[in-house]
Amino acid sequence: MTATKSNREKETRQASRPTSFFRFLGSVRLAIGVLSLIAATSIVGSAIKQGGTEEEYLGLYPEKTYHLIKLLGLDDTYHSPWFYFLLGLFAINLVVCTVKRIKILAGEKGRGAKAPPDVRALVAAGSGFTVRAESLGEISRRLTGSYRKKEISETTTLYEKGFLSRYGVVVIHASVLVVLLGGLVGLIGGARGFIMLRVGETAWSAVSRERAGTPIPLGFTVRCKDFKVAFYPGGQPKEYASEIEVLDGAGRVLKEGRIRVNEPFSYGGVRLYQSSYGRSNSYTFLVDGKTIVLGEQEVTREGKAPFMVVRHAPQVHDFGPGVMVAYMDGEDPKTLWFLSDVERMRTHLIKGSRVSLEKISGEYYTGLEMSRDPGVPAVLLGFGLMLAGLYINFFTFHRRIYVVNEGAVINVVGIASRNKEGFLEELGKLAKDLA
């Protein structure tokens, strides 16, 4: 007898373990814990630079801290496995809560199909009224138009409206799941980067801001057709905008448009924003009678010694604009200033080669921010579901009216999930009309 009892207790404990685990997955405590961890992760992701190079991190943190950041994936927090795990755990918690809620609603619906335990007590409590048996047809006529009618028994009829309101929370849970799904799709398949273009230049990819300069293919070619910038009298930029074209592989124009600040351009799931601009200079030199054009940090091997433009200054000691070039004299690096407005400083000898600065030219370039997020449609759908769920949850309510025929009299009682005062007024109006 004792052994049989012990076996039963053991089986009961084993059977209750899955139930307890299922209850834990759907608990509010787990939801609060996971949300707190996600919030803490977001704070860490905002405090620590994301997608930087090793040199950048070592310049900001000690070496041990940098290795810890790399080990935990804090340099790319929102793409780390443990952040995906937290999102997945929160989604599981929502699914379990939703399933439990649906089961409760199904049970309530089944119980609602039965007559209340004590109709007379509800009438006495003010949740109903009693009328003569002759009013049965009039009650049916008045309620059938706006309520769903269901015969429970030979003597009891149920009129029901607004049962969908009980599912408002379910719709909200579903909307959060859809938003999470959209966010996850955006994290995995989305990308952010920047593009720098001069007028006439093209680009087929952007440079990633998160993954240390990794190129991100656009799926098309973009060309800067024109760039204009206007300034206030004080020198601050007033407006800057880019005229761009989208080209296919054959160079045909597929779409063109204008990008201003807060007026992005969209094509093929990619959005381009006007984020910055700058000015890049080019320098024309005459090297032993041969014309060459260099940009900053560019090297030429014309002449007897290679040299590179390392610096430009709009004003050099009140002598006007100047350009510093660097070259190697044996094992020693040397520099020279070329001043465009001073005749004798426009030309120098570099290891026997005659080098003259002919012209300093400058042109603006546009800085475009690129964003691709394939999860946006799902996120928008999720927010639409959320609005629908909030409307259902707060602006509709479940009402049930039981009509019980006791022969000589008819008892009419009502039960509402919310707004009971308004529902009682509706019942009172019905009783007054029937009287």
Side-chain angles (χ1 to χ4, degrees), residues 319-394:
F319 291 113
V323 178
M324 177 188 286
V325 302
Y327 65 96
M328 297 297 296
D329 187 1
E331 297 294 328
D332 300 325
K334 291 189 176 181
T335 60
L336 284 172
W337 275 102
F338 288 79
L339 304 181
S340 61
D341 293 346
V342 181
E343 185 65 30
R344 62 187 182 87
M345 294 293 291
R346 290 174 60 184
T347 304
H348 293 283
L349 289 176
I350 298 180
K351 298 183 70 173
S353 292
R354 182 180 177 86
V355 180
S356 299
L357 175 64
E358 297 296 309
K359 183 173 62 173
I360 299 176
S361 304
E363 61 178 333
Y364 287 103
Y365 63 84
T366 179
L368 303 177
E369 190 80 16
M370 167 266 184
S371 174
R372 179 171 57 220
D373 191 346
V376 168
V379 172
L380 294 177
L381 174 62
F383 281 119
L385 284 175
M386 186 174 293
L387 291 175
L390 291 172
Y391 177 82
I392 292 171
N393 198 54
F394 291 105

Side-chain angles (χ1 to χ4, degrees), residues 27-321:
S27 65
V28 176
R29 181 179 299 178
L30 177 63
I32 294 175
V34 173
L35 284 174
S36 300
L37 289 174
I38 292 175
T41 300
S42 301
I43 294 173
V44 171
S46 300
I48 297 178
K49 181 179 177 62
Q50 301 293 293
T53 62
E54 181 176 352
E55 292 76 13
E56 289 175 327
Y57 286 112
L58 291 176
L60 294 171
Y61 308 104
E63 186 175 355
K64 290 184 178 179
T65 304
Y66 165 68
H67 289 308
L68 180 63
I69 289 173
K70 292 293 290 184
L71 178 65
L72 298 178
L74 299 179
D75 59 332
D76 196 6
T77 303
Y78 303 110
H79 295 89
S80 60
W82 53 271
F83 184 71
Y84 290 150
F85 170 76
L86 289 176
L87 293 180
L89 189 58
F90 181 59
I92 292 172
N93 175 265
L94 275 179
V95 170
V96 174
C97 286
T98 304
V99 171
K100 290 169 62 177
R101 179 69 177 174
I102 291 174
K103 286 183 176 180
I104 292 173
L105 292 174
E108 290 180 353
K109 187 175 182 180
R111 289 192 298 270
K114 301 176 183 178
D118 194 342
V119 173
R120 295 180 181 179
L122 289 172
V123 172
S127 296
F129 57 89
T130 301
V131 294
R132 294 176 301 175
E134 292 82 3
S135 302
L136 182 60
E138 181 66 15
I139 293 173
S140 177
R141 187 184 69 80
R142 287 178 175 270
L143 296 180
T144 302
S146 56
Y147 284 79
R148 186 176 59 180
K149 181 179 179 181
K150 183 176 182 179
E151 299 290 345
I152 296 178
S153 65
E154 294 181 358
T155 59
T156 305
T157 304
L158 171 63
Y159 294 87
E160 191 175 26
K161 182 166 70 172
F163 189 79
L164 183 63
S165 65
R166 312 301 295 274
Y167 289 90
V169 174
V170 175
V171 176
I172 293 173
H173 283 186
S175 71
V176 175
L177 287 173
V178 174
V179 170
L180 282 177
L181 177 63
L184 187 62
V185 170
L187 282 175
I188 296 175
R192 292 182 65 87
F194 64 92
I195 305 171
M196 294 173 57
L197 292 173
R198 297 182 180 90
V199 175
E201 289 185 338
T202 61
W204 60 270
S205 65
V207 179
S208 174
R209 290 192 178 276
E210 299 175 349
R211 294 182 175 88
T214 304
I216 305 171
L218 299 174
F220 53 87
T221 300
V222 60
R223 178 170 64 193
C224 181
K225 185 179 178 181
D226 193 13
F227 177 75
K228 295 180 180 179
V229 58
F231 296 92
Y232 288 106
Q236 291 81 10
K238 180 179 181 181
E239 182 188 38
Y240 47 97
S242 304
E243 301 283 348
I244 66 166
E245 296 175 328
V246 174
L247 311 176
D248 62 6
R252 294 187 296 267
V253 177
L254 301 177
K255 186 179 179 180
E256 56 184 321
R258 185 180 180 89
I259 307 177
R260 292 188 180 93
V261 177
N262 298 325
E263 294 182 15
F265 175 87
S266 299
Y267 182 82
V270 175
R271 293 174 72 85
L272 298 175
Y273 301 84
Q274 184 70 63
S275 63
S276 63
Y277 74 95
R279 185 179 177 89
S280 61
N281 293 326
S282 61
Y283 311 97
T284 303
F285 290 91
L286 199 62
V287 181
D288 291 335
K290 185 175 182 179
T291 301
I292 62 169
V293 180
L294 295 178
E296 291 189 20
Q297 308 301 318
E298 288 186 355
V299 178
T300 178
R301 299 190 180 277
E302 297 292 337
K304 297 178 181 179
F307 66 89
M308 176 179 68
V309 174
V310 294
R311 185 182 172 189
H312 166 260
Q315 192 67 240
V316 181
H317 299 299
D318 297 329
F319 291 113

